[in-house]
Structure formats: structure tokens, C-alpha cells
Amino acid sequence: MRVELLCTGDELVTGLITDTNSTYLEARLFDLGVKVERVVLVGDVRPDITQTLLEAAARADVVVVSGGLGPTADDFTLECAAAAAGVPLEEDARVLEWLRERYAARGVPINPSALRMARIPRGSEPVRNPAGSAPLVVLTLGRCRLFFLPGVPREYRALLDNEVLPRIRAELESRPGRLFRAFRLLRTVGIPESELDLAVAPLAPSHPRVVFGFRTHAPENHLKLMAEAPTQAEADQALAAVEAECRRVLGRHVFAADGEEYAPALLSALGRAGATLATAESCTGGLIAQRLTAVPGSSTVFIGGAVVYSEKMKTAWVGVPTEVLERHTAVSTPTAVAMAEGVRAACGATYGLAVTGYAGPGGGTPEDPVGTVYCALAGPGFATRCERMSFSGDRERVRLFAASHTLEMLRQHLLTAAQS
Amino acid sequence: MRVELLCTGDELVTGLITDTNSTYLEARLFDLGVKVERVVLVGDVRPDITQTLLEAAARADVVVVSGGLGPTADDFTLECAAAAAGVPLEEDARVLEWLRERYAARGVPINPSALRMARIPRGSEPVRNPAGSAPLVVLTLGRCRLFFLPGVPREYRALLDNEVLPRIRAELESRPGRLFRAFRLLRTVGIPESELDLAVAPLAPSHPRVVFGFRTHAPENHLKLMAEAPTQAEADQALAAVEAECRRVLGRHVFAADGEEYAPALLSALGRAGATLATAESCTGGLIAQRLTAVPGSSTVFIGGAVVYSEKMKTAWVGVPTEVLERHTAVSTPTAVAMAEGVRAACGATYGLAVTGYAGPGGGTPEDPVGTVYCALAGPGFATRCERMSFSGDRERVRLFAASHTLEMLRQHLLTAAQS
């Protein structure tokens, strides 16, 4: 199956936005055994869009087009599609109804420019957008199927996952001589990509049906296993064998598989242990609390988080003694320990996590330069642990790695506790 | 000048790497008044590369090609360029010398595969690469100039900045009738994209030299203005005129211009007012604190943030009376007001912001369904304000809009205070 992508929008050819939609779709299609043949980005220029649509449709079986479906004057991708197909744009009663419902649900009157989104090429199929106003539009041009999606990443991904990819998959499965595939994504943290590669490389020769892939999603590194075989059962079997070996080699670095993310996995582990958590953050400024509370249902486990940016609040909210701050400074092992113990006590939580450090670009001392972070874990039946870490990179990276390492201290502790 | 970009490499069409090189070049070219007409990404497939080279060279004055210049077997872009030009590849004595010098300087013997990098199309011009081994190669095909660069971002940018862009600029400056451009990005919040469009659309007819562009970056909407004129002074003047009118129409929705982002702009406004801030968050779980503390230097303004997920911590950290919680529940105007006043008092801050609500998917009541959020602002010399908002969408979207609206209450207050 020949697949091409076409992305429209001045923002994509003038350096305002990097096209990450295509990266997402390419990876999903690769999982289905399809390598995208060409990606084309064009600005909001009618003849260019019409021309690139015609060229792509002449070469490909499927073209996924994004951008230019919204209500504003520079949204005219469907106009170009109609021109390419030699049909008029027509107001579609179904889309009109969806738009009316959507605006009614939000309690705002529909405005005239929004109604433009109901005008689609004659003969095309609209599909309701669960995440926005502009519908997915499916148009057939010769032997090519064209899918038109909004460029907003949230809407683009929702429509891809729920509508476009299932249709492409069904089409692939109906083809003769196809190979079956099975996948596993092993998500790791605390091991650099090059070490991950070295650790699993010796396994490759004994698994000829499996392709190993690596993906960095800082601070995590993901190992992607893809098994390919003439039957689904053989592919599943080959995958299970290699997965077991990889898990043995990577051990506790693997925190989850496939779609499960870090924070939900950690909250589940806490829930299984019947434990609760509180956090005290200085340099990460709420990043840890925000990551945890982004997970639905986190309120059953997460009691509270103190963002104690000032020394005063370190004392007021989590009881760090002023002598500790005076003698050791706010960025030190004693302060991190006092913060973890203090927030645990204040919230009455099973565990207390704390982090304090210099995220930069300002601050730091000769002994503790920018990038130095103290992470602490307090809990029942053990002396509070504190680890001094040193992270390179800018403020954003230091905060990201500091938050990740602090959470990881708790996850590793829970693993040990569950085994004993 | 018509410019197109061609990027080669399997990693670009299989979701492994997002093409950020093009974003960089597009922005640099746009500053020179050149809007890239098309960007094409193709995998490591010889006929596809040759074909896309020929197509681009037939349309454009300049084509910037990246990737496939290295020493490995999948580096064959220059081979395709030679095929497209109908000339052979030949070993170039200058490039050979540069490679030998480079390897000698690093004290390593040159290996045979590295010598492949000295083979360039007959008639092309090699330019030494200051940041790597593979040279920049310049080839003329018909009336089109093609620049071939390595895909490694560091080398790509170095060669662009030092060689390619100066040549393009010189070429542009030598052309008669060139147009000059001026830009402004107005960043707005609190106005939907369709309303933004409707608000500024009436201005367009009286500004024929200006192109209006829109970009959604939820919860923000950005308006991009580009003025084009025969002299830079006229372009600047046209831009200033339209910007003033847009600012008048959009009023307080505009929070910043060009590269300035929301949180830094708000922190600057607080700094100018000599004010400090504390936050109490329930449903946003640290999102507000995290956004503010992501900004370097925020510690001079931001005192502390309480993530009070449990009722107990609402009382312990920010002093919400238990009677208020019992009588009005945790999601109510009195609770939001008490949180804002309480965190302001606890931190001794000029302003206290608070947010409590149902982010979903669980929770909510018939009166206050999922998506209902109470946002409050406490400060000196006015009665604490609370706004009840209703946001649609998933947990992530509700949290995002709740955080944004809460911060926006403070920004609007500061605007009023600064004017009075």
C-alpha cells in the first residue's frame, strides 16, 4: 500500500510550527507494516494545495491530508479538494447538525464562519470529530482514498486513532500474502539509550523474526519489539519469547509496557500497596504534583503537594526547621530529608517525596553547581533516603530529570517492598 | 524567489525523527522575505530521491536538500543528484584533501567508506564543512541552484548560516523589484479562533499590503500579521498601522507579541507592580505553579503553591474552615474564595490565586457537572473575586483551561490596576 501525507498551512513552511503530526502517523503506519513514501508540506496557497493533492492521488493508494479545515479565511483545503475532484462544495446536513449540537452543548451561538465547516466536496463522506468541530472528510479520487483531517494535534490524533487507522488496517488485512505482526513497547527509565541498545543487542541473532527499535522520550527510553510471521500465532509466540528475554536483561528499568505511562503505573502500584503519597517540591515547582494529578482517579492516592519556593514556606508548610535552612541551606541533604518527612507528616501520607536543587540558569554554588538536585523519600519502617543527583542541560531538562528521579526512588522502593 | 526543501532519510518517514531542520531554515528564509513553497520528505529510495530532485528543480529557483551525504551505504543523495543532472560522480581532489586533514587532526586513519564523501557530481562546487566531514555541494540544474547539506542538525545549521543563507541573501539583494517584509505575532487568550477572525476581518480591506494568519495553541489563539512592500520602511509602516488597529479591536485579549510567552509576560507584569504571588490548586494539581516556576527567575515573584487535593490539606495549608467545606463542598465559591485568601495569607503574598473544580472524568454533581471550575483571586484593596467557569473536553483540557483562566483573572486585574 502506497501512502503519502500532505500537510497544509503557512505556519508549516514559515518556521512557526514543526510538523509533529506526520511523525505520529508515520510511526503508527510503520506498526502496520507501511512505510510512508512521501510527506509534502505546502503553504496556504490554493493552486499549490490543489496541485499537490492531484500529484499525490496519482501516485498513492492513500493520502492523509491535514490542516485547513477550520472556520477561518485561510482554511480552504476542502475547496482545493473539490477543485481537484472536479466537484462543487456542498453544505452537508449531517455536519451542520453536528456543529449545531456542538455549539448548543457549549451554550454559545453558532457564528457564520463556523458554518463554513459544513461545506464539503460533493460525494465525500464526513465523519464526526469527537474532539473538535471540523469533521474528518473521506474522498475518493480515481483509485486513491484521501482522508482530510484538522491539523490541531489533539483532533488529528483522535480522528487518526479512531477512524483513519482502523480503516487502513482493515484494508491491509483484506490483502493476500500479508504478514502478521505483533508488537510490544517496553518502557524503561534510568538507563541511557546506548546502554539499552548494548544490553539487548546480544539477543537479536536468536530472534530473526523480531525487529528491535529504540525511541528516546527523555527521561525515558523505550524499546520497541516487532515480530513478523506468516500467522498471527507465530508472530505472538516470537514476540512473547523475545519479550521475556528483554525483561530479564532490563529488570527493574522496565516500568510499563505498551500504552501505559509512568504516572498511572506508579499510582497503580501505590494503590495496590494501599499507600498514599504527598510531595514537597522546590526546584521542580509543582511538576511532580502536576504529573500525578493529571491521572484520573489520582485523588484516591495523592493527598497533597507543597510547592515551597521560598524558605519561609519550607518551614510553614512542611516544617523544615529554620536551623536546618540556616546551617545547610535550602539545597542540601538535611533540607530534602526534612521536606520529605515534613510533608509526609503534614498530609498523614504513607510516603513523602521531596526535591530541592538548582534548576538554573541562575543560582548554584561551587560545591553544588546548577543541575545539582537532592531527592528524598520518607516512609514507614525505613530511614529517610536522600540522593544527590547532577543533571546536565537547561532548566527544563534539569526539572524533568529531577522530577523523574524523585518518583523513581518511590517506584524502586515499592518494587522491593512488594517482593519482600 | 521560489525555494523548496527536500529532506531524505528513512528515519524521517517512519516516525523516528521529526524534521526540525526545515523549521529552522523556513524561519531564517521567512526573515529574508522568502516563504518556502514546498517541503518534501522522502525515504532512502534512489528513484524517489532522483524524481523529487528533478521535480523540485523544475519548479524552484533554489532547492535545499538535506541528508544522505555521509559515509554509509544508505547515503546516496549525491548519486541521485548526478543521475538527475545526467553527469557522473567524480572524486574531488579538494574534498579528498579536507577529509585527510580532518582525519589527521583527530589522529585517526581515514577509512575507505569515508572516501565516498569525496565523490561529487561533475561540475558541482564543494564547500568545506566546518562542523563535520561531508562537504556542502552546490549544483546547478537548468535555472535552479541546488544546495546539498548533511542532515545532522549541527552541521546543517552551520553550513546554512555560514554559506547557504548568505548566498541566498546576496542573490535576493541583487534582484530588481524585491519586496520587503515586516511581521508581528499577537498572542491572545480568552477569545476563540472564530471570534478572533470575525474581529479582525473588517480590517483586512483597508490593509492590502498585510496578510493575516491565525494559529490555535490552546487555550491561546495567535494572530500573525505580515506586511509586504517595496521598501522596508513602507513594510514597517504598514505593519505598525495594522498592528495598532488589531490591538484596539482585540484589546486586553492580547497578552504578548512575537516570541514572548504567557507565564513570562505575567511574571514580568507582577515584577513591574512590585507584587508577589501564591497559588492554591485543587483540580489543576500543580499545573499553575509548574507553569510559573518553569520561567527562570520566577522565584523573585512566586512565593509558594499548595496542591490541596484532599479536604484536610485545604484546611491545614490554606486555612479553609471545615464549616465552609461541610456546608458548601470543596467545589464551590466559598471554598475557592477561602483558598485564595488563605494561601495569600499563609505566604504573605500580594496576590492569592485559587482553583477548585471537577476535571473529570469522574466526579461532579447535577448542579456542578464535570468541567465546572471555580477560579478565585484575592489581593489588596478589593473583595476577593470568584468566577464559575464551565469547560468542555477531557481532563487534560479542563485542567489546561482552568489554569489559564485563573491566571488570566490576575493578568486582567493587573492591567486595570496599572491603568488606574
Side-chain angles (χ1 to χ4, degrees):
Chain A
M1 183 186 276
R2 293 185 59 102
V3 179
E4 295 197 12
L5 315 187
L6 174 61
C7 311
T8 71
D10 277 348
E11 68 279 11
L12 293 173
V13 293
T14 54
L16 272 176
I17 285 187
T18 297
D19 170 36
T20 53
N21 281 346
S22 295
T23 316
Y24 180 81
L25 175 53
E26 290 162 11
R28 298 292 87 70
L29 286 170
F30 203 56
D31 289 350
L32 296 178
V34 176
K35 184 175 130 185
V36 167
E37 309 233 344
R38 204 181 284 205
V39 181
V40 176
L41 279 57
V42 286
D44 294 318
V45 181
R46 284 184 178 82
D48 286 356
I49 297 176
T50 307
Q51 184 60 29
T52 47
L53 278 172
L54 283 168
E55 289 170 5
R59 286 185 302 255
D61 303 302
V62 167
V63 178
V64 181
V65 188
S66 61
L69 302 193
T72 59
D74 57 359
D75 291 312
F76 41 67
T77 300
L78 290 179
E79 204 180 294
C80 299
V87 297
L89 279 184
E90 289 177 343
E91 191 168 80
D92 186 277
R94 291 161 294 183
V95 182
L96 210 55
E97 183 58 26
W98 298 336
L99 288 171
R100 292 217 168 98
E101 283 175 25
R102 187 172 166 83
Y103 277 79
R106 295 156 73 193
V108 290
I110 195 161
N111 66 49
S113 67
L115 295 177
R116 294 187 65 216
M117 292 187 279
R119 294 177 59 77
I120 65 175
R122 179 186 291 174
S124 65
E125 176 203 353
V127 180
R128 192 170 188 158
N129 179 347
S133 297
L136 162 68
V137 173
V138 188
L139 176 70
T140 303
L141 205 61
R143 56 171 198 83
C144 178
R145 191 84 48 89
L146 294 107
F147 296 94
F148 295 87
L149 297 106
V152 181
R154 203 172 54 92
E155 302 181 30
Y156 179 84
R157 293 185 183 195
L159 283 167
L160 271 187
D161 292 343
N162 298 325
E163 298 291 340
V164 178
L165 288 166
R167 288 175 189 225
I168 290 176
R169 185 197 302 263
E171 166 73 19
L172 287 167
E173 286 175 354
S174 71
R175 298 191 165 200
R178 72 185 188 109
L179 285 174
F180 290 78
R181 291 178 168 203
F183 303 90
R184 182 97 326 126
L185 188 73
L186 294 182
R187 296 170 176 251
T188 75
V189 71
I191 180 171
E193 190 183 17
S194 53
E195 283 181 34
L196 179 61
D197 185 11
L198 283 175
V200 300
L203 307 178
S206 46
H207 296 278
R209 278 179 171 162
V210 178
V211 177
F212 292 70
F214 302 92
R215 189 172 61 165
T216 289
H217 186 69
E220 301 172 8
N221 285 297
H222 300 169
L223 169 63
K224 183 156 181 182
L225 303 168
M226 179 186 79
E228 209 169 34
T231 69
Q232 190 63 54
E234 287 169 284
D236 291 343
Q237 202 171 9
L239 181 69
V242 77
E243 180 185 353
E245 290 192 37
C246 288
R247 282 185 179 271
R248 188 175 45 71
V249 166
L250 299 173
R252 291 171 156 217
H253 290 301
V254 178
F255 67 81
D258 298 333
E260 193 177 24
E261 301 201 340
Y262 189 90
L266 177 61
L267 289 166
S268 296
L270 279 164
R272 282 193 303 273
T276 58
L277 175 63
T279 57
E281 302 179 64
S282 186
C283 63
T284 52
L287 195 52
I288 296 178
Q290 189 274 324
R291 270 186 76 180
L292 294 170
T293 60
V295 182
S298 47
S299 59
T300 58
V301 167
F302 185 75
I303 310 284
V307 181
V308 285
Y309 236 47
S310 62
E311 298 210 350
K312 186 178 87 174
M313 298 320 294
K314 287 184 179 72
T315 302
W317 276 343
V318 299
V320 179
T322 49
E323 313 86 77
V324 167
L325 291 168
E326 276 160 20
R327 186 156 164 207
H328 302 282
T329 82
V331 178
S332 64
T333 295
T335 296
V337 166
M339 284 168 65
E341 293 176 351
V343 79
R344 179 178 177 237
C347 292
T350 319
Y351 295 104
L353 281 176
V355 55
T356 180
Y358 298 113
T365 65
E367 301 78 39
D368 287 325
V370 165
T372 305
V373 176
Y374 292 85
C375 313
L377 167 68
F382 62 90
T384 300
R385 286 166 205 157
C386 182
E387 295 181 8
R388 178 183 183 279
M389 303 299 295
S390 182
F391 301 113
S392 63
D394 61 12
R395 182 177 180 88
E396 186 184 347
R397 190 176 184 276
V398 170
R399 282 162 49 99
L400 189 67
F401 276 78
S404 173
H405 186 81
T406 307
L407 289 168
E408 189 59 6
M409 286 177 72
L410 177 58
R411 193 182 70 86
Q412 293 295 335
H413 169 78
L414 291 171
L415 281 175
T416 306
Q419 281 165 0
S420 65
Chain B
M1 182 187 280
R2 294 185 60 101
V3 178
E4 296 199 12
L5 315 186
L6 174 61
C7 311
T8 71
D10 277 348
E11 68 280 10
L12 293 172
V13 292
T14 55
L16 273 177
I17 286 186
T18 297
D19 170 36
T20 53
N21 280 347
S22 296
T23 316
Y24 179 80
L25 175 52
E26 290 161 11
R28 297 293 85 69
L29 286 171
F30 205 55
D31 291 347
L32 295 179
V34 175
K35 183 173 130 188
V36 167
E37 310 236 342
R38 206 181 282 209
V39 181
V40 176
L41 278 56
V42 287
D44 294 318
V45 180
R46 282 184 179 81
D48 286 355
I49 297 176
T50 306
Q51 183 60 31
T52 46
L53 279 172
L54 283 167
E55 290 170 5
R59 285 185 301 254
D61 303 303
V62 167
V63 179
V64 180
V65 188
S66 62
L69 301 193
T72 61
D74 58 0
D75 292 312
F76 41 66
T77 299
L78 291 179
E79 203 180 293
C80 299
V87 298
L89 280 183
E90 289 177 343
E91 191 168 82
D92 185 278
R94 291 160 294 181
V95 183
L96 208 56
E97 183 57 26
W98 298 335
L99 289 170
R100 290 213 170 102
E101 282 175 23
R102 186 171 167 84
Y103 277 79
R106 295 155 73 195
V108 291
I110 195 161
N111 66 49
S113 66
L115 295 176
R116 293 186 66 217
M117 292 187 281
R119 296 176 58 77
I120 65 175
R122 179 187 290 172
S124 65
E125 176 205 354
V127 180
R128 191 167 190 160
N129 179 346
S133 297
L136 161 67
V137 174
V138 188
L139 177 68
T140 303
L141 205 60
R143 57 171 196 85
C144 178
R145 189 86 46 92
L146 295 106
F147 295 95
F148 294 86
L149 297 106
V152 180
R154 204 172 51 92
E155 301 181 30
Y156 179 84
R157 294 185 182 195
L159 284 167
L160 272 187
D161 293 342
N162 298 325
E163 299 290 342
V164 178
L165 288 166
R167 288 175 189 225
I168 290 176
R169 182 197 303 262
E171 166 74 19
L172 285 168
E173 286 175 354
S174 72
R175 294 192 166 200
R178 67 182 276 237
L179 286 175
F180 291 78
R181 292 179 170 198
F183 306 93
R184 182 95 329 123
L185 188 72
L186 293 182
R187 296 171 177 249
T188 75
V189 72
I191 179 169
E193 190 186 15
S194 53
E195 285 182 33
L196 179 61
D197 185 14
L198 284 176
V200 299
L203 307 179
S206 46
H207 295 279
R209 278 175 171 166
V210 178
V211 178
F212 292 71
F214 303 92
R215 187 173 66 164
T216 289
H217 186 69
E220 300 171 9
N221 285 298
H222 300 170
L223 168 64
K224 179 150 188 185
L225 303 168
M226 178 185 83
E228 209 168 35
T231 68
Q232 189 63 53
E234 285 169 284
D236 291 342
Q237 201 171 8
L239 181 70
V242 76
E243 181 185 353
E245 289 191 37
C246 287
R247 282 184 179 271
R248 187 175 45 72
V249 166
L250 299 173
R252 292 170 155 218
H253 290 300
V254 178
F255 66 82
D258 298 333
E260 192 177 23
E261 300 200 340
Y262 190 91
L266 178 61
L267 289 166
S268 296
L270 278 164
R272 282 194 301 273
T276 58
L277 174 64
T279 56
E281 301 178 66
S282 186
C283 63
T284 52
L287 194 52
I288 295 178
Q290 189 273 321
R291 268 186 77 181
L292 295 171
T293 60
V295 182
S298 46
S299 58
T300 57
V301 167
F302 184 76
I303 310 283
V307 182
V308 285
Y309 236 47
S310 62
E311 299 210 349
K312 188 178 85 175
M313 298 319 295
K314 287 184 179 72
T315 301
W317 277 342
V318 299
V320 179
T322 49
E323 313 85 77
V324 168
L325 292 168
E326 276 160 22
R327 185 156 164 206
H328 302 282
T329 82
V331 178
S332 64
T333 295
T335 297
V337 166
M339 285 167 66
E341 293 175 350
V343 79
R344 178 178 177 237
C347 291
T350 318
Y351 295 104
L353 281 175
V355 54
T356 180
Y358 298 112
T365 66
E367 301 77 40
D368 287 326
V370 165
T372 305
V373 176
Y374 293 85
C375 312
L377 166 67
F382 61 90
T384 300
R385 286 166 205 157
C386 182
E387 294 180 8
R388 178 184 184 278
M389 302 300 293
S390 181
F391 300 113
S392 63
D394 60 11
R395 183 178 180 87
E396 185 184 346
R397 189 175 185 278
V398 171
R399 282 162 50 98
L400 190 65
F401 277 78
S404 174
H405 186 81
T406 308
L407 289 168
E408 190 59 4
M409 285 177 72
L410 176 58
R411 192 181 71 86
Q412 293 295 335
H413 169 78
L414 291 172
L415 282 176
T416 306
Q419 282 166 358
S420 64

